Amino acid sequence: KKARYMKGYQQDILKLDLGKPPYNDVMPDSLFNPLSYTDPSQRATAWMLKGSTSNGNDFENILGILREYTANKASLTDPNVIRDIHRKLVPEAVDKVRDAGAPTQYGSSPTGFALLEQHLKNLDPSHPHFDKQVLGAVVGFQGFGDGNGRTASALYSISQLRNNQFTAMPPHVFRELNGIF
């Protein structure tokens, strides 16, 4: 039941115009960038740190990952690239598995990752809203035992940075895209 919901929700996201409200709302810099960074990679890193509910995130590590993948042009629809970004962002969660029977709204992480792999085949990196689609899918499918939000935020940021920009997404848009309420 959880898997069907996740799959259907993410398929529906692909049909939406993500350039219209509420999907085009922007988070003001004052809410996530207290050091007033102007470099887009640093702004993206500050946004990721503000949005994370986990402890132990390191600004320099995240910044390095964003810059590495912005420059290397690795495919953001390649499951191995996504796993690598996750491993670098959340090394303590590698091989951590969420049980499907757990009393949460999420399915198991192995099922979620299998669904994510299938869904990635439907994403077009040249689509004007690929950044939002991939973020929603990674969080929505919950393919990792932990760190789904950080990984999705990194993919969103990398996609934005590859287009020489960074637009901070507010929390309500983040939630709307992934379908986890």
Side-chain angles (χ1 to χ4, degrees), residues 113-124:
F113 201 85
L115 290 170
L116 175 62
E117 283 185 292
Q118 290 298 315
H119 187 73
L120 291 170
K121 296 173 186 173
N122 298 316
L123 299 184
D124 175 4

Side-chain angles (χ1 to χ4, degrees), residues 23 30 36 41 51 53 58 63 66-67 85 89 92 100-102 116 132 147 150 160 181:
Y23 307 105
S30 62
S36 300
S41 296
T53 58
D58 174 51
L63 180 62
L66 295 183
R67 286 182 171 163
I85 291 170
L89 280 172
E92 69 279 4
L116 175 62
K132 296 173 186 173
R150 282 171 278 177
Q160 288 261 310
F181 301 104

Side-chain angles (χ1 to χ4, degrees), residues 48-49 51-59 62 89-92 146-147 150:
M48 286 181 62
L49 288 172
S52 180
T53 58
S54 300
N55 295 324
N57 293 310
D58 174 51
F59 186 93
I62 293 171
L89 280 172
V90 197
E92 69 279 4
D146 189 28
R150 282 171 278 177

Side-chain angles (χ1 to χ4, degrees), residues 39 41-42 60 62-72 158 161:
D39 173 77
S41 296
Q42 290 175 320
E60 292 303 322
I62 293 171
L63 180 62
I65 293 164
L66 295 183
R67 286 182 171 163
E68 173 187 351
Y69 283 90
T70 298
N72 74 15
I158 293 162
L161 294 167

